[in-house]
Amino acid sequence: MSIADRYTEQEFFLLSSIPSMVGSCMTFAESSGLGTVKEMFSSAQSIMAGAKQYPDNQLIEAILPNLDNREEAMAEAKAYKEKSIQRMKDLGIDSHEKMRAQILDDCRQVSTILAKKSSPQESEDYKSWIMSIAENVAMAAKEGGILGIGGKRLSEAEIDLFNQIAHAMGASAQLTQL
């Protein structure tokens, strides 16, 4: 059964949006100053790593852009971005707090969709992928300090958000201060 046959358009959009939304939410969990750029890069890199980490996962494969056709991939990314922005506007998301609450709600919805419509392996791979995105972003830059000197690898806000995402996704991942 193909991905298009298993998920509604709305469900697939939600499944597709969670990787970048989790990455963005983790990026802004704590102000990292110049480290924010590192965290944003880590988010994009971690999302794309899903293709190599889970080469047999049809869902992850369907979510990631086809980089063989750059023009098509860019057009799809632009349309996705516009749809995501419109969704946030429609939902009245106008602060980091509201965005965080919505993403946690979306993660709970995704967990339910996966349980109903995905194989256990596909679901586990997807959840592991999402949690690796969250962890990689959290670990990309130190929090506090000046120009990367001093500070902590993880802030309490990042640990808290990571653990809330894991709980909402029904994932067994845990992040603690190193």
Side-chain angles (χ1 to χ4, degrees):
M1 182 181 292
S2 75
I3 295 296
D5 294 334
R6 282 195 282 157
Y7 306 104
T8 66
E9 185 178 328
Q10 184 178 359
E11 289 169 337
F12 187 72
F13 176 74
L14 192 58
L15 288 160
S16 299
S17 68
I18 288 296
S20 62
M21 297 304 287
V22 163
S24 294
C25 198
M26 286 300 300
T27 295
F28 297 107
E30 182 89 19
S31 177
S32 299
L34 295 174
T36 300
V37 174
K38 286 182 181 179
E39 291 176 342
M40 290 169 61
F41 182 73
S42 178
S43 176
Q45 205 173 33
S46 298
I47 290 168
M48 296 309 295
K52 288 183 181 175
Q53 291 173 320
Y54 307 100
D56 299 325
N57 189 300
Q58 288 182 345
L59 176 58
I60 294 172
E61 189 176 297
I63 289 169
L64 293 172
N66 178 3
L67 297 179
D68 293 335
N69 185 338
R70 188 173 169 88
E71 275 186 34
E72 182 181 312
M74 295 297 284
E76 285 177 13
K78 182 180 179 187
Y80 163 79
K81 181 180 177 183
E82 289 170 0
K83 187 174 180 178
S84 294
I85 290 170
Q86 187 59 52
R87 179 175 183 255
M88 291 295 146
K89 286 180 182 177
D90 292 346
L91 292 170
I93 307 298
D94 58 5
S95 69
H96 291 297
E97 294 78 21
K98 288 181 181 178
M99 181 179 161
R100 179 181 180 145
Q102 185 61 52
I103 289 169
L104 292 172
D105 185 55
D106 288 351
C107 286
R108 285 186 283 277
Q109 289 180 52
V110 161
S111 182
T112 299
I113 293 166
L114 291 170
K116 290 180 181 177
K117 298 188 175 189
S118 297
S119 72
Q121 185 62 53
E122 188 175 59
S123 177
E124 186 60 36
D125 288 351
Y126 180 91
K127 290 176 183 182
S128 294
W129 178 46
I130 297 305
M131 298 317 301
S132 72
I133 294 166
E135 181 175 5
N136 291 340
V137 171
M139 299 293 287
K142 286 185 176 181
E143 307 303 325
I146 300 172
L147 298 175
I149 300 169
K152 295 194 246 180
R153 175 56 59 197
L154 296 168
S155 71
E156 292 302 319
E158 288 172 323
I159 294 168
D160 181 54
L161 179 57
F162 179 92
N163 292 334
Q164 286 183 29
I165 291 168
H167 180 73
M169 289 292 298
S172 60
Q174 276 265 323
L175 192 59
T176 57
Q177 185 65 44
L178 299 174

